[in-house]
Amino acid sequence: MTDAVLDPELSQDVGGSDVPLIELTIGQQLAETTERFGDNEALVDVPAGRRWTYDELLQDVRRLASGLLELGLRKGDRVGIWAPNRWEWFLTQFATAEVGLVLVNINPSYRVHELEYALVKSEVRCVIAATEFKDSKYAEMLEEVMPRCDDLEKVVLMESDDFAALMRTEISPELPAIAASLTQHDPINIQYTSGTTGFPKGATLSHRNILNNGYFVGETIHYTDADRVCTPVPFYHCFGMVMGNLAVISHGACTVIPGPAFKPDEALKAVESEKCTSLYGVPTMFIAELALPDFESYDLSTLRTGIMAGSPCPAEIMRKVIDRMHMEEVSICYGMTETSPVSMQTRPDDSLERRVGTVGRALPHVEVKVVDPTTGDPVPRGEVGEFCTRGYSVMLGYWNDEEKTTEAIDADGWMHTGDLAVMDEDGYAQITGRIKDMVIRGGENIYPREIEEFLYTHPDIVDAQVVGVPDPKYGEELMAWVKLRDGVSDLTEEQVREFSEGKLSRHKIPRYVHVVDEFPMTVTGKVRKVDMRAQAVEMLGLA
């Protein structure tokens, strides 16, 4: 953390806190939490009908860790996990940490070539996987790639006798000595970026990275041991395993798994039946929940908080979540996998304007700045630049990729995010888009987020995404992809133009409008604008 005095006129800030960083391993933290809250419920898997107190969870985690040792795995070995959200995933996360194994999160939607890439790149020795999920035949795909993965020695399917045997293992007498050999700085997790552009890169994270990030996210929304957190976001992603699982166990709270993958009705049923106090989701998940025909029938009165993250949150959706879902203390988080993930977060006592118009301010012990992408110098407050962050949360690097690591993290330890941001006089930031998403039309810089926010105010539009497409006269033109409310089948360019006249500058009015049922998405709910552009070029004949 810097000791320098910051110029208040420039876009830079440090998240202050009287609470020190946690200097424990994840295993030590779980043991400490269990010591304090052993009888508290720690985990509920709703569809599996299973529950654990902290005392029970710690015993099962240590049994599974001992089983992994029986397989010959040792500190630093990589263990892949490939499954949707289920109790086995949760236990594996903590069991690998208990003995210093590096957990490699594999995207549940991966196909063979992506799976092989992650396993080979990370030199995975063992994979713990579901047999199948939806149309993904995990066992078959693993059998196919195993001969081409030189380091892969063992596949354990969660539904098999092999996994049951791991769970029945006697707790190894080696565990205390192994735990004593670990440090909070050891790598513990490799998370492959969702790949909205290019090939995924393996962000390598330590105990210290992710335990502290989860803890301070939970602190910021006032978690206690009385909280029950409904987590329909994927465990394989930082949102689920850090902001969810680690925020929970560092406070003695309870994780509620509503289902293996997100379904809006299952999430709300779990909130009601388990009396959850917190609900997580990307904006598209909250949109889907609010759109349920029987939404009003769910008792959501126990909710007080939750987190929206993963992509920019439309202001109208935020207001509905507060007003209709009882989530008065809902928080927006902003960050990226490479920063564990959260850098900025809104506070429960922030004004509504702050909470719908910004991504908050710096998380405790995190430095942030907004810089000129060309010079790297902080820009004056109120001006657009690239968001950068530094501190405990920045990853150790990309696994086996020094070149990409050096491109992302500069010599002074600043992570360059590629996101465009504006910081106000109080340190609150707005994310205005990606450097790569910015549209330059006739020499004018246009930020799609601004146009999207405006389109949400159209009575027939429930979701909107804006991209730039090639244009021979202006270089680029704007194209809006829109999802319409039930009962409305079409929306024309002329109708959008009429709605926008006098409200948007003429150069910001989309030239093209495309009505869709769904946007191209990653599994974590991020819109793949790179796919939208490619499809737009083809459908409009602009190649």
Side-chain angles (χ1 to χ4, degrees), residues 33 35 49 73 109 122 139-140 149 151 235 273 281 288 336 362 369 376 381 415 518 538 542:
T33 300
E35 181 80 18
L73 298 166
S109 68
S122 304
E140 293 178 11
C149 299
D151 298 287
F235 285 167
S273 65
M336 60 193 304
K369 63 180 180 178
R381 298 211 176 193
M415 178 78 207
E518 299 292 339
E538 185 173 342
L542 301 174

Side-chain angles (χ1 to χ4, degrees), residues 455 458 460-461 480 482 484 488-500 509-515:
L455 291 174
H458 191 291
D460 292 337
I461 294 175
V482 297
L484 304 179
V488 179
S489 60
D490 196 24
L491 187 69
T492 66
E493 285 91 351
E494 183 59 34
Q495 289 169 320
V496 170
R497 193 173 299 112
E498 288 176 4
F499 180 76
S500 306
I509 299 175
R511 177 175 175 183
Y512 306 103
V513 175
H514 179 48
V515 176

Side-chain angles (χ1 to χ4, degrees), residues 348-541:
D349 58 353
D350 282 338
S351 68
L352 183 62
E353 181 183 12
R354 294 281 198 209
R355 291 159 66 196
V356 301
T358 77
V359 293
R361 51 194 168 90
L363 207 64
H365 304 286
V366 170
E367 291 181 80
V368 297
K369 63 180 180 178
V370 180
V371 304
D372 183 310
T374 304
T375 67
D377 296 328
V379 299
R381 298 211 176 193
E383 291 191 10
V384 175
E386 183 184 15
F387 184 89
C388 300
T389 183
R390 180 170 70 174
Y392 78 84
S393 58
V394 174
M395 66 176 178
L396 301 178
Y398 292 118
W399 186 265
N400 281 348
D401 201 332
E402 188 174 340
E403 181 182 348
K404 292 294 184 186
T405 300
T406 304
E407 287 176 13
I409 304 172
D410 67 26
D412 294 321
W414 289 98
M415 178 78 207
H416 290 253
T417 67
D419 285 330
L420 293 165
V422 178
M423 184 181 290
D424 70 15
E425 66 278 4
D426 296 317
Y428 287 79
Q430 288 181 303
I431 304 301
T432 60
R434 294 282 294 168
I435 290 176
K436 293 178 181 178
D437 286 345
M438 185 176 71
V439 178
I440 304 176
R441 181 191 183 276
E444 295 271 5
N445 291 353
I446 302 173
Y447 304 105
R449 173 76 189 280
E450 178 189 355
I451 318 301
E452 291 160 1
E453 286 284 356
F454 170 75
L455 291 174
Y456 282 120
T457 67
H458 191 291
D460 292 337
I461 294 175
V462 296
D463 205 353
Q465 298 292 330
V466 173
V467 296
V469 295
D471 183 78
K473 182 177 180 180
Y474 294 106
E476 285 186 289
E477 272 285 11
L478 294 174
M479 181 179 188
W481 290 43
V482 297
K483 292 168 69 173
L484 304 179
R485 64 177 172 83
D486 289 345
V488 179
S489 60
D490 196 24
L491 187 69
T492 66
E493 285 91 351
E494 183 59 34
Q495 289 169 320
V496 170
R497 193 173 299 112
E498 288 176 4
F499 180 76
S500 306
E501 288 287 352
K503 302 172 187 172
L504 277 183
S505 300
R506 298 183 72 85
H507 69 279
K508 295 180 180 178
I509 299 175
R511 177 175 175 183
Y512 306 103
V513 175
H514 179 48
V515 176
V516 295
D517 294 325
E518 299 292 339
F519 303 120
M521 294 280 209
T522 69
V523 72
T524 54
K526 293 182 181 179
V527 174
R528 283 184 56 88
K529 287 194 172 182
V530 65
D531 288 354
M532 291 170 60
R533 287 190 203 95
Q535 292 176 32
V537 166
E538 185 173 342
M539 76 174 73
L540 297 172

Side-chain angles (χ1 to χ4, degrees), residues 156-229:
V156 179
L157 299 177
M158 292 174 178
E159 299 86 350
S160 70
D161 291 340
D162 286 348
F163 189 84
L166 293 182
M167 291 298 303
R168 289 194 299 268
T169 307
E170 290 292 319
I171 294 176
S172 171
E174 293 182 65
L175 287 191
I178 293 171
S181 74
L182 308 180
T183 80
Q184 67 270 36
H185 302 288
D186 292 337
I188 201 62
N189 185 217
I190 298 174
Q191 300 207 18
Y192 279 89
T193 56
S194 54
T196 54
T197 57
F199 233 108
K201 301 182 289 291
T204 307
L205 302 164
S206 68
H207 295 267
R208 192 172 188 261
N209 284 146
I210 57 178
L211 177 56
N212 277 290
N213 205 255
Y215 174 71
F216 281 105
V217 166
E219 281 287 282
T220 301
I221 51 177
H222 303 156
Y223 276 170
T224 72
D225 62 299
D227 279 296
R228 299 173 68 80
V229 183

